[in-house]
């Protein structure tokens, strides 16, 4: 359950980050194709989504640190119940890696990051309050000074609480090492993650010779995503090579070429995302079918089925993660759009907002989909060890041609 909660929170955090990057990417493409008259509306909606994604990253990031600490504590408690020479301990170390000697470190990091943001907010509030301090005789300035002074006090209290939490977590780490950590089997504590195969360039070329069309499709999709995104940012760079640089104008033919290349890059990016998504869905279906054949009639299992079954844990989990990540992206976008329609900021000026027609039934259905994805993620985390124990497990591979050129497996 701790692993499932950590995975779900991590997917939500990744979704907020992708929403932040995706809306930025979409606004860059739109700046080249959307008429000038619609730019204020587009900017207003974009700021709403960016704000929602930023708040989501801060809140979910704080939650992720706490959940990651719980997962580390659970892993340490699990290792404490295993024998020092049991095969289960060796296999678990391969799949899950070391138990951290500082299980509360993620929660401490989250508290310190939040405290840093709050300290920055204190400085901003103090500066704003200082602007009105010299004119306290005026009622309006006195009211503004009071508001900013109160907020500075609130943020200062939160900053102090975050600092105290960071110190408390460091004390808890020492107590955990003296208690549970000292009772763990030898070699369990450390900072190494799950074992990985370190592959050389020659090994990866040999592996690609056995790729199926689906594997090549996923590779081409990732290539299109990277190439399309690069073309878009190149077009933006040609227009404005710096955040505060003046916008560069070219001749009419060059302008059309830059705009066309930006649009083509955006289209390649979207096409690559569709190809990667389609390849992931097909891989998920083929893995499910291979598992069913292996369960009903093991004699019908092919070599390709065995390859998919041994990677089933990663395939199923990554598919559920991808679905939950994109659900989060859509949710953050809708929340940001709603914020842009209902809250008017000074930067919006007189820009009108495009209403988002969302009914209550749609929101209920969307929430049910999210709950189903969360339930699927929990179920897959629970069934993962069963699949590994029955059908085997393929250690993940990591390319590295410099640091470990002759080491077949790192982390054993």
């Amino acid at each position: 359950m701790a692993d499932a909660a950590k995975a779900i929170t991590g997917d939500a955090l990744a979704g907020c980050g992708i929403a932040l990057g995706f809306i930025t990417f979409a606004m860059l493409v739109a700046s080249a194709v959307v008429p000038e008259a619609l730019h204020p509306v587009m900017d207003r909606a974009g700021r709403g989504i960016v704000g929602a994604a930023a708040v989501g990253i801060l809140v979910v990031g704080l939650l992720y640190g706490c959940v990651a600490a719980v997962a580390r504590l659970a892993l340490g408690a699990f290792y404490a119940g295993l024998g020092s020479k049991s095969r289960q301990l060796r296999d678990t170390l391969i799949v899950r890696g070391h138990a951290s000697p500082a299980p509360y470190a993620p929660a401490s990091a989250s508290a310190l990051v939040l405290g840093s943001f709050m300290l920055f907010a204190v400085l901003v509030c103090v500066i704003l309050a200082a602007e009105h301090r010299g004119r306290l005789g005026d009622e309006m300035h006195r009211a503004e000074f009071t508001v900013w002074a109160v907020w500075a006090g609130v943020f200062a209290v939160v900053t102090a609480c975050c600092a105290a939490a960071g110190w408390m977590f460091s004390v808890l780490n020492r107590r955990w090492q003296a208690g549970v950590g000292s009772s763990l089997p030898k070699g369990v504590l450390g900072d190494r993650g799950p074992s990985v195969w370190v592959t050389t360039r020659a090994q990866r070329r040999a592996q690609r010779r056995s790729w199926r069309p689906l594997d090549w499709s996923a590779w081409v999709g990732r290539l299109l995503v990277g190439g399309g995104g690069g073309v878009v940012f190149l077009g933006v760079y040609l227009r404005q090579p710096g955040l505060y640089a003046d916008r560069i104008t070219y001749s009419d033919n060059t302008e059309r070429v830059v705009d066309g290349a930006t649009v083509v890059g955006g289209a390649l990016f979207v096409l690559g995302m569709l190809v990667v998504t389609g390849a992931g869905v097909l891989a998920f279906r083929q893995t499910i079918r291979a598992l069913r054949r292996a369960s009903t009639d093991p004699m019908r299992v092919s070599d390709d089925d065995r390859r998919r079954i041994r990677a089933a844990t990663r395939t199923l989990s990554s598919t559920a993660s991808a679905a939950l990540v994109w659900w989060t992206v859509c949710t953050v976008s809708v929340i940001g759009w709603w914020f842009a329609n209902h809250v008017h900021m000074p930067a919006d000026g007189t820009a009108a907002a495009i209403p988002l027609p969302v009914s209550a039934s749609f929101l209920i259905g969307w929430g049910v989909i999210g709950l189903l994805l969360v339930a699927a993620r929990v179920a897959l985390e629970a069934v993962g060890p069963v699949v590994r124990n029955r059908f085997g497990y393929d250690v993940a591979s990591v390319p590295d041609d410099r640091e470990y050129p002759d080491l077949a497996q790192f982390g054993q």
Side-chain angles (χ1 to χ4, degrees):
M1 291 302 296
D3 284 338
K6 180 182 175 182
I8 292 168
T9 312
D11 293 341
L13 182 61
C16 293
I18 290 176
L20 183 62
F22 197 73
I23 189 59
T24 305
F25 184 86
M27 291 176 69
L28 292 176
V29 176
S31 64
V33 297
V34 173
E36 291 285 344
L38 296 179
H39 280 186
V41 179
M42 179 188 68
D43 290 341
R44 180 173 180 177
R47 282 195 299 270
I49 299 175
V50 167
V55 172
I57 290 174
L58 184 62
V59 174
V60 180
L62 179 63
L63 179 62
Y64 180 80
C66 299
V67 173
V70 173
R72 288 189 175 189
L73 291 170
L75 183 61
F78 178 74
Y79 280 138
L82 300 180
S84 58
K85 297 182 179 180
S86 65
R87 180 176 178 179
Q88 187 180 11
L89 175 63
R90 186 200 64 183
D91 293 344
T92 307
L93 283 172
I94 292 175
V95 177
R96 300 183 181 274
H98 279 148
S100 174
Y104 293 95
S108 177
S110 296
L112 294 178
V113 169
L114 179 61
S116 301
F117 277 106
M118 293 298 102
L119 180 60
F120 177 75
V122 169
L123 296 177
V124 172
C125 291
V126 168
I127 292 173
L128 292 174
E131 292 183 356
H132 302 279
R133 185 174 179 277
R135 291 169 285 183
L136 294 180
D138 182 74
E139 184 177 353
M140 184 184 69
H141 289 289
R142 186 166 59 250
E144 289 289 334
F145 172 81
T146 303
V147 169
W148 291 119
V150 169
W151 278 113
V154 171
F155 290 141
V157 171
V158 176
T159 303
C161 292
C162 290
W167 174 81
M168 179 188 68
F169 287 132
S170 65
V171 173
L172 290 176
N173 278 329
R174 291 194 293 269
R175 291 182 179 177
W176 185 89
Q177 290 183 28
V180 178
S182 60
S183 64
L184 292 178
K186 184 179 180 181
V188 166
L189 285 180
D191 57 357
R192 174 183 62 76
S195 298
V196 295
W197 288 106
V198 180
T199 58
T200 63
R201 190 175 290 109
Q203 289 172 327
R204 293 193 296 276
R205 280 198 298 265
Q207 186 181 22
R208 281 195 291 270
R209 296 191 191 103
S210 63
W211 277 9
R212 302 294 191 271
L214 189 61
D215 301 318
W216 284 107
S217 299
W219 180 78
V220 170
R222 291 191 292 269
L223 213 62
L224 290 175
V225 169
V231 171
V232 169
F233 280 101
L234 178 62
V236 174
Y237 179 81
L238 292 175
R239 292 282 193 186
Q240 189 174 1
L243 181 61
Y244 300 105
D246 295 331
R247 189 176 176 85
I248 301 175
T249 57
Y250 303 93
S251 62
D252 292 341
N253 291 334
T254 306
E255 290 281 344
R256 283 193 291 270
V257 170
V258 173
D259 288 343
T262 304
V263 174
V264 170
L268 290 177
F269 180 86
V270 173
L271 178 61
M273 292 296 297
L274 293 175
V275 171
V276 171
T277 302
V281 172
L282 290 177
F284 177 78
R285 289 182 59 188
Q286 292 182 4
T287 301
I288 293 295
R289 290 176 179 175
L291 287 170
R292 287 177 177 173
R293 282 193 290 268
S295 299
T296 57
D297 189 2
M299 300 301 295
R300 294 176 53 200
V301 176
S302 62
D303 292 338
D304 187 54
D305 286 341
R306 293 187 180 91
R307 181 174 66 90
R308 294 191 180 281
I309 290 171
R310 292 183 66 83
T313 304
R314 291 196 302 273
T315 302
L316 299 179
S317 297
S318 61
T319 303
S321 291
L324 192 55
V325 163
W326 286 108
W327 183 89
T328 305
V329 170
C330 296
T331 302
V332 169
S333 301
V334 171
I335 293 174
W337 196 301
W338 177 89
F339 182 84
N341 277 275
H342 290 79
V343 179
H344 190 274
M345 304 295 291
D348 296 331
T350 59
I354 301 177
L356 184 65
V358 177
S359 62
S361 59
F362 174 82
L363 292 178
I364 293 174
W366 189 251
V368 170
I369 292 174
L371 291 177
L372 291 176
L373 290 175
V374 169
R377 199 71 177 89
V378 173
L380 288 175
E381 286 294 334
V383 80
V386 178
V387 175
R388 287 193 292 266
N389 292 338
R390 181 172 181 182
F391 299 110
Y393 174 75
D394 275 346
V395 177
S397 62
V398 173
D400 194 329
D401 299 321
R402 299 170 301 167
E403 194 172 356
Y404 308 107
D406 301 318
L407 190 59
Q409 189 173 11
F410 173 66
Q412 279 285 61

